[in-house]
Amino acid sequence: MSEKTIALVTGANKGIGYEIAAGLGALGHTVGVGARNEQRREEAVAKLRAAGVDAFGVPLDVTDDASVAAAATLIDERAGRLDVLINNAGIAGAWPDAPSTVTADNMRAVVETNVIGVVRVINAMLPLLRRSQHPRIVNQSSHLSSLTLQTSPDVDFGPGSGAYSPSKTFLNAVSIQYAKELRDTAIKINTACPGYVATDLNGFRGTSTAAEGAVAAIRLATLPDDGPTGGLFDDSGTVPW
């Protein structure tokens, strides 16, 4: 069993996920690059290794039970445990999408990836996380998930979102329930808001870089044992629910 910290980042072949993997790798973590697309996954692994990161590819489709189970088996066979799980994979659907234009199929697809996929991955990886001395789970959320910010007259997030934003609010609620269940264990679980990052999810309209968007997740992944659990944070601190 490796003595190095073992991390898995979903959706790590590009954007914020890749930068999270790079950031953890720079801290000396061994990083599993979780991604569906084989070519992009292996290209990301090669790029990380060229930068000195101990990285390995993890075929992973968070919407598929068999794929997630196989990923857990791969990590078990390779490392025997998991220390850090970052659920970064997500989709925007047709966002920006007015609620009145959202179709049932679009809503299902967004929730399947952004919420159910996270539950699927966490539950598959929990046995491995329980073997860690300092296990951390980070779920990638968004400022758009905050009901407080969404209803503040001083905050303008642009057009309403019928699927993406509610899916992240749903994810926050699920994360809280995990924190309650796991509060008597060493596992800490928090949600991170990367900010308005320029990625293909928003057509590269964001104002921050992917590396800047990775900061909050990396901080939560490396919390000390007396750090918080069950919260929503960005790189500046606590974000209101």
Side-chain angles (χ1 to χ4, degrees):
M1 183 180 294
S2 171
E3 294 305 317
K4 296 182 68 173
T5 299
I6 309 300
L8 171 65
V9 184
T10 69
N13 62 291
K14 59 181 178 178
I16 299 172
Y18 176 85
E19 294 297 340
I20 293 172
L24 292 176
L27 295 174
H29 291 36
T30 295
V31 183
V33 177
R36 292 178 299 177
N37 186 287
E38 180 179 3
Q39 179 178 346
R40 292 177 180 173
R41 182 178 65 246
E42 295 311 312
E43 287 175 350
V45 169
K47 185 177 177 181
L48 288 166
R49 287 177 176 169
V53 176
D54 183 12
F56 64 99
V58 181
L60 181 57
D61 179 349
V62 303
T63 67
D64 182 83
D65 288 340
S67 175
V68 173
T73 298
L74 186 156
I75 294 170
D76 188 10
E77 292 175 348
R78 182 183 181 97
R81 71 171 194 281
L82 183 63
D83 301 299
V84 173
L85 169 61
I86 299 189
N87 289 299
N88 170 77
I91 62 172
W95 182 81
D97 51 343
S100 60
T101 67
V102 174
T103 66
D105 286 344
N106 183 269
M107 177 68 83
R108 288 191 192 98
V110 172
V111 171
E112 180 65 43
T113 297
N114 295 359
V115 183
I116 298 173
V118 172
V119 171
R120 183 179 285 113
V121 173
I122 290 177
N123 290 349
M125 300 299 167
L126 268 177
L128 298 174
L129 287 159
R130 292 184 188 276
R131 299 175 193 168
S132 172
Q133 293 185 343
H134 311 283
R136 304 288 182 261
I137 302 173
V138 182
N139 294 334
Q140 199 75 292
S141 188
S142 169
H143 289 100
L144 293 170
S145 72
S146 170
L147 298 179
T148 299
L149 295 179
Q150 287 278 13
T151 56
S152 171
D154 300 322
V155 178
D156 182 12
F157 284 138
S161 168
Y164 177 77
S165 177
S167 78
K168 292 301 186 179
T169 307
F170 190 177
L171 177 61
N172 291 352
V174 168
S175 300
I176 289 172
Q177 297 307 311
Y178 272 110
K180 290 174 64 177
E181 178 184 356
L182 299 170
R183 61 189 169 194
D184 294 327
T185 75
I187 300 172
K188 294 186 179 298
I189 178 168
N190 290 288
T191 43
C193 298
Y196 191 31
V197 179
T199 67
D200 57 1
L201 185 140
N202 58 34
F204 296 95
R205 292 187 295 269
T207 55
S208 300
T209 66
E212 291 170 333
V215 171
I218 292 171
R219 180 172 64 84
L220 294 172
T222 56
L223 284 173
D225 289 342
D226 61 353
T229 190
L232 178 65
F233 303 92
D234 61 15
D235 58 2
S236 298
T238 302
V239 176
W241 297 114

